[in-house]
Amino acid sequence: MAHLTIATSETAVQKLFNGIRDNFSIDESDSVDFGPFTAGYEVAFHLEGGDVDMQADNSIVVKELDIKWDKLRFYAGIDIPELCIGGFCIIALPFVGCVLRAPEICIFEDDPDIGIDLDLNGLLTSEISLAAKPDLQYVVNPARPAGMNWLDAEDANLANMWKLFIDPEWVDIDIFDWSDIVGDLLENALDNAIDDLLFFLPGWAKDLISAILGPVIDLVRGILDIGDDIDEWLSDLLGVSLGLFDLIITAVADLLADQFPLIEIEDPFPILPYQGSLIPVKLPIEDLDVTFTEDELVITASIGETL
Amino acid sequence: MSAKINRHLIKQTRFDSGSLTQLGFVAHQYKTSGRYKVDVYRENELRTSCYIDVDTDNESLQASIELSGLELGINTSKKGSCCDSNVKIYKINREGYALFYVNKGAGKYHVKSYYLESRGESYLFDSTTLNKGDLFGLTLLRPGRYQLRDGNSNPLSSLVVEAVKPLEKKYVPPEAINVELSEIHKMKEISLLQAQGIIFNAKSDNRVIIDFEDDDEKHQCGDRPIAARWTKSNAKRG
């Protein structure tokens, strides 16, 4: 039978969760070579909001945990196919075909490439929801030498800990909305990229190149495989192909599962500190159990016989 | 972002069958089997040589000989060439053509060739004087009006290159135009679209020279070229 029982309300658990949430931030970048183009992202975000809802089945559900983007930059580098002119047939024979062909001369000396760079910060609304179960771990202080007694550990601040993590059962990320201007931003970025690529050419040469590549925007859209739905394309590219969404949910899951505990309880549990020549009073916690109910987080403990 | 443009394509205003630059080519048919030596000149100075083996047994109907690469010792011509380490030997069928062209640099090449076993005789082929069966072709990119002359004689005709505008569909230049130099006096003006090829069939002792004359409003589109540009995104990339 437990010697101690402590119960905290859902509001208290919400505050504990907020503490974990506020410790979380990510700053990452990655890029992938897709052959005809490369794409990458630079992201930084933190979390805000998140309603904790405790369940009768010893779990908690967190909803509306908002991803607040501090940085959301998407970029892509596209190889424009080499543009060559000439190559026409000079002499063709019946049944044989072309027997003499003009040489092809290429307009660019190397494969040209263009880059588009989109600052999507503030244009993506997304949130996380998750369900988690309590995971109680007894963590021996890794810096504590073997055989060190509790009092020396107290003096050296090397006490062991009971740590209550909330171990996610699932974590979802929902992309609610890309701002309406994302499509326009992408089109403008492509326009600017083409313009930058050819800026030094006289108008007639730009027009000719654009006509042969033509139209360049469509060509680039084709290379990037942008369909009619730019939102869906961006979400697929960022989330699936570049793995950004996996990164986010994995980071959140890791954070909760073993980085930031909801509660930490020192073992032995401090009752009274040093008082003059008297040593501190501490209670050994032998067994600890945690249960979520619909209303409370209930912690029960048994006191051990020896420290 | 990078784009190293082949600037010679943009800057050229003269095209000369006897002084080959990029966008132009000369084709000649060697009708007798045997080995021919081709001397390659740039700006009237002998730069390099190659051989052409002509035989009915050779399969290739075309030997594309890129003259700037030949001068630099780079074998950029794959079709019909072999791989002698010192002097290039190209092989073509007796029914085929040797096609001389330039794809790098400012060009100004011409070639002279002779039957190797008859050294001392006059050149069999000199690209500065094209004869019947020889071809000079080119692709004009810059829209505008050009003047067509034979050597330094009076103008033969005018040539107008119409500008194309970017459209919804990809622009594919129309088929090349064939022009018989023997008939050219009947043509007041030759019209082409940008990047459309034109082939001149020589008559006798011809040297086709085409000079860009003007890019009046009718043919010109677009703005004046910008010399340099700074953009925030480029500056960031350093």
Side-chain angles (χ1 to χ4, degrees), chain A residues 131-189:
Chain A
K133 293 220 177 238
D135 178 23
L136 200 57
Q137 297 177 19
Y138 188 80
V139 180
V140 174
N141 194 314
R144 180 171 171 167
M148 176 182 264
N149 65 42
W150 70 272
L151 190 55
D152 290 340
E154 171 77 9
D155 293 343
N157 198 22
L158 294 174
N160 296 331
M161 293 283 183
W162 287 96
K163 293 189 178 186
L164 171 62
F165 292 95
I166 50 173
D167 188 18
E169 299 279 298
W170 52 261
V171 181
D172 283 349
I173 181 166
D174 296 316
I175 302 300
F176 281 112
D177 190 29
W178 286 98
S179 167
D180 291 341
I181 65 170
V182 164
D184 292 339
L185 275 182
L186 184 63
E187 298 282 348
N188 288 342

